[in-house]
Amino acid sequence: MKYIFVTGGVVSSLGKGLAAAALGTLLEGRGLRVLMQKFDPYLNVDPGTMSPFQHGEVYVLDDGAETDLDLGHYERFTSGRLSRLNNLTSGQVYETVIKNEREGLYLGATVQVIPHVTDVIKNRVHEVAKRDDIDIIITEIGGTTGDIEGLPFLEALRQFKDEVGHENVAFIHTTLVPYIKAAEELKTKPTQQSVAKLREIGLAPDVILCRSEHPIDMDLRRKIAMFCNVRPEAVIPFLDVKGTIYRAPLNLHEQRLDDIICARLGLETAEPDLIEWRNMVDRIVNPSHSVKIGVVGKYIDLKDAYKSIYESLTHAGAANDTHVEIVRIDSSDIEEDGPEKHLSRISGLLIPGGFGDRGIEGKILAARYARENGLPYFGICLGMQIATIEFARNACGLESAHSTEFDEGTPHPVICLLEDQKSVQDKGGTMRLGTWETRIAPDSRSAALYGTESVHERHRHRYELNQNYLRDYEERGFRLVGTSPDGRLGEIVEIPDHPFFIAVQFHPEFQSKPTAPHPLFRGFVAAALERKG
Ligand code: GLN
């Protein structure tokens, strides 16, 4: 087994996760079996309890783990499906250590960061390494070198490399090379200092990825190489990618990142096969058409809050030879200005998942506009609940219909708490989570798009469609076409007599890949394109 650890220095948001994922693409292209994972030094047990304002999207895995959004990059850039073992946080580490201590497993020892905390961290890598279907594990360490919380992780890596042999471990350090306008100069000092910080702990990078907005010439690379004790070719410029993030593997391959890493780890492989990847990038950057899709949400100012949705729209656009221009619309603006102003300029409306009642009425107004004006509608999770509330109120005359999440005393609880949620008190990891099967009516649009009547999709919700109102809906042309296998949970609704109206209780965005766009997103973008035409 070979191990690559990716750390970051100077500042956060350097695209470390993207770089790690791109390396995953390249190594897979070389025929290696890659597994990617992330260690996050914060004390939350998982990001499931964090607000999207804090942390962006919560990415859900097959097994129901609520994880960091970088795991979304990993699944989109490589073929691996990840599990809860692949996102370790300090919260989990300390939870384990304290549980062990209470159970008496430390046999009277004083429990300390070294060795007890670092052991738990190393054990996680060893545990993952037991799998016999992988050749190489890429682990990204969240945060920035120098952070207090990150220290136990870096110390654990130092011990780990001694245990498994230096020849099996490579370190990549991502830094920022800022451009000082007044001096018209790129500056290497922050990189030097963050590498010095790593060395203090006993780690030395094999590769330094230099994030920069300006090209970095060979002289500068040599300078960084000299101060940081790496070879000049291993100082790799990581410039902003043009057009699409999916270019990142191609750019890093041009800089020979995969060569350098394979040489360092003694891996002999052929050049990577990137033909399919290159074709996909071409389709994204040179489309023949373009279409505007509105996304109405409450976290709309945050680029990362609906990350997987935006990526899925890009994938679906490429599949339709179309550039999808995403128009982000704050639901409170619809409440203030009415739907016409914002929605008349788009060709498709997507309402994504969400929690809490702010902006709900704006979303309901938007869904109504889409239904009444033949505007293609794609609802995801909360977006399905919104479509249902809207239909109940405005098409079935159930005026005060609502979800009990937002109005506990509503006379028409058309969306209500899932039965097994009623006794749940804890907030962390307690929703209906992970992959569950949905059976789809054969005569539905969804079945036609999927090309199958049984799908497995990922979930993250507490509330469900109340099926007591189904007869009312169906008489008026709103169908439940997908349910759990026992029929008890509503999963997909459609309005057959509408150009495109599909809303799902699950999160299809977690399974779309650039090389394998999700069928529902694909159908939605196609419908938007048709409307525009
Ligand atoms: N708040 C809703 C629920 O818990 C929707 C959740 C979501 O959109 N992820 O059911």
Side-chain angles (χ1 to χ4, degrees):
M1 185 68 72
K2 304 287 180 181
Y3 306 88
I4 299 169
F5 294 102
V6 183
T7 54
V10 186
V11 290
S12 59
S13 305
L14 283 178
K16 186 161 40 98
L18 178 62
L23 177 61
T25 311
L26 295 176
L27 298 179
E28 262 194 2
R30 286 175 169 261
L32 296 162
R33 296 168 305 169
V34 177
L35 185 85
M36 306 210 48
Q37 59 180 3
K38 179 144 194 215
F39 289 174
D40 276 309
Y42 51 70
L43 284 166
N44 303 61
V45 171
D46 63 42
T49 52
M50 274 189 241
S51 152
F53 288 117
Q54 285 281 315
H55 198 258
E57 163 185 281
V58 175
Y59 188 80
V60 181
L61 304 180
D62 280 332
D63 65 4
E66 299 173 276
T67 68
D68 185 84
L69 56 80
D70 277 319
L71 277 83
H73 282 313
Y74 307 162
E75 286 201 332
R76 289 187 282 270
F77 278 75
T78 66
S79 61
R81 291 179 92 91
L82 303 175
S83 81
R84 64 177 66 250
L85 285 183
N86 303 127
N87 191 188
L88 179 69
T89 64
S90 292
Q92 290 167 31
V93 173
Y94 283 99
E95 203 180 34
T96 307
V97 170
I98 289 168
K99 188 166 152 280
N100 289 347
E101 187 272 337
R102 291 290 84 179
E103 284 173 7
L105 295 186
Y106 295 123
L107 305 175
T110 306
V111 181
Q112 294 180 301
V113 172
I114 305 171
H116 303 103
V117 166
T118 49
D119 275 353
V120 172
I121 298 169
K122 286 186 294 179
N123 284 347
R124 178 59 73 85
V125 192
H126 288 305
E127 202 175 335
V128 170
K130 277 189 206 140
R131 283 176 55 163
D132 54 13
D133 58 344
I134 44 179
D135 305 313
I136 191 156
I137 300 175
I138 303 177
T139 308
E140 177 193 350
I141 317 298
T144 308
T145 28
D147 291 351
I148 291 180
E149 295 146 328
L151 281 174
F153 285 88
L154 298 177
E155 165 60 19
L157 301 192
R158 187 193 65 74
Q159 299 170 19
F160 184 83
K161 86 173 164 356
D162 293 338
E163 287 169 19
V164 300
H166 292 213
E167 66 285 6
N168 296 318
V169 187
F171 288 93
I172 299 178
H173 189 57
T174 314
T175 72
L176 177 71
V177 177
Y179 182 75
I180 307 294
K181 220 173 170 181
E184 293 181 7
E185 239 181 277
L186 284 164
K187 291 294 182 190
T188 65
K189 192 77 75 195
T191 298
Q192 296 174 34
Q193 288 183 344
S194 89
V195 171
K197 253 305 121 318
L198 271 185
R199 286 220 220 113
E200 247 169 51
I201 306 159
L203 295 177
D206 300 292
V207 170
I208 300 175
L209 279 185
C210 299
R211 189 63 197 273
S212 169
E213 288 170 358
H214 291 263
I216 299 177
D217 65 19
M218 208 53 214
D219 280 347
L220 213 73
R221 290 169 72 179
R222 273 193 217 104
K223 182 172 173 191
I224 295 173
M226 188 178 70
F227 278 103
C228 300
N229 211 18
V230 297
R231 287 177 302 140
E233 64 271 24
V235 176
I236 294 183
F238 184 37
L239 305 189
D240 292 350
V241 279
K242 290 209 179 71
T244 169
I245 56 166
Y246 297 108
R247 241 196 235 286
L250 305 177
N251 292 357
L252 291 173
H253 177 60
E254 265 167 38
Q255 304 284 349
R256 300 190 41 239
L257 173 65
D258 46 326
D259 274 347
I260 295 169
I261 288 292
C262 286
R264 167 69 183 75
L265 293 173
L267 292 163
E268 279 177 31
T269 70
E271 281 288 292
D273 175 0
L274 296 170
I275 294 174
E276 199 194 348
W277 197 270
R278 262 183 227 285
N279 289 342
M280 174 269 292
V281 169
D282 275 346
R283 282 197 302 277
I284 293 181
V285 292
N286 298 312
S288 311
H289 315 282
S290 93
V291 73
K292 286 195 174 99
I293 302 263
V295 177
V296 173
K298 121 175 168 193
Y299 311 111
I300 225 69
D301 295 336
L302 281 127
K303 206 161 95 270
D304 281 348
Y306 305 112
K307 183 106 201 147
S308 295
I309 295 213
Y310 297 152
E311 291 307 315
S312 302
L313 285 170
T314 301
H315 308 160
N320 282 287
D321 193 14
T322 298
H323 168 67
V324 174
E325 185 189 329
I326 294 163
V327 182
R328 301 181 198 167
I329 305 166
D330 193 320
S331 40
S332 336
D333 290 344
I334 295 191
E335 284 168 17
E336 258 170 47
D337 312 327
E340 176 72 28
K341 175 172 170 202
H342 299 280
L343 305 186
S344 56
R345 60 197 174 104
I346 57 170
S347 304
L349 169 66
L350 190 155
I351 299 193
F355 299 84
D357 59 3
R358 189 165 65 73
I360 288 295
E361 293 302 323
K363 292 180 190 175
I364 294 174
L365 284 171
R368 177 176 195 171
Y369 180 94
R371 179 175 62 83
E372 293 180 344
N373 291 282
L375 177 67
Y377 180 90
F378 190 18
I380 292 180
C381 206
L382 180 64
M384 162 173 150
Q385 301 176 355
I386 292 287
T388 309
I389 298 166
E390 188 282 310
F391 196 85
R393 284 189 189 175
N394 302 316
C396 305
L398 305 170
E399 251 173 59
S400 43
H402 220 323
S403 161
T404 53
E405 180 178 1
F406 312 122
D407 176 6
E408 253 181 279
T410 171
H412 302 295
V414 293
I415 304 292
C416 52
L417 201 58
L418 284 156
E419 195 51 42
D420 31 359
Q421 288 287 328
K422 291 189 176 147
S423 56
V424 170
Q425 298 285 332
D426 283 358
K427 290 281 180 253
T430 55
M431 284 187 245
R432 178 175 181 242
L433 288 165
T435 295
W436 298 94
E437 186 186 357
T438 295
R439 300 265 169 87
I440 313 177
D443 59 344
S444 63
R445 185 177 276 137
S446 301
L449 288 170
Y450 274 114
T452 168
E453 287 154 35
S454 157
V455 297
H456 292 81
E457 295 278 10
R458 300 183 189 174
H459 295 70
R460 183 174 189 246
H461 65 120
R462 282 187 213 284
Y463 292 81
E464 63 163 325
L465 181 91
N466 181 347
Q467 296 196 31
N468 292 335
Y469 294 87
L470 272 191
R471 176 105 53 84
D472 273 359
Y473 303 156
E474 278 177 9
E475 278 169 7
R476 294 168 177 83
F478 183 97
R479 275 185 79 198
L480 177 63
V481 299
T483 65
S484 55
D486 62 8
R488 284 169 53 192
L489 300 175
E491 296 275 21
I492 309 177
V493 296
E494 288 185 4
I495 298 180
D497 200 17
H498 183 283
F500 186 103
F501 199 106
I502 297 183
V504 297
Q505 185 59 73
F506 45 78
H507 290 271
E509 73 272 23
F510 295 143
Q511 293 204 82
S512 182
K513 298 204 184 219
T515 45
H518 192 283
L520 296 185
F521 277 92
R522 223 172 146 143
F524 172 55
V525 171
L529 202 56
E530 196 160 307
R531 170 160 174 112
K532 185 191 169 201

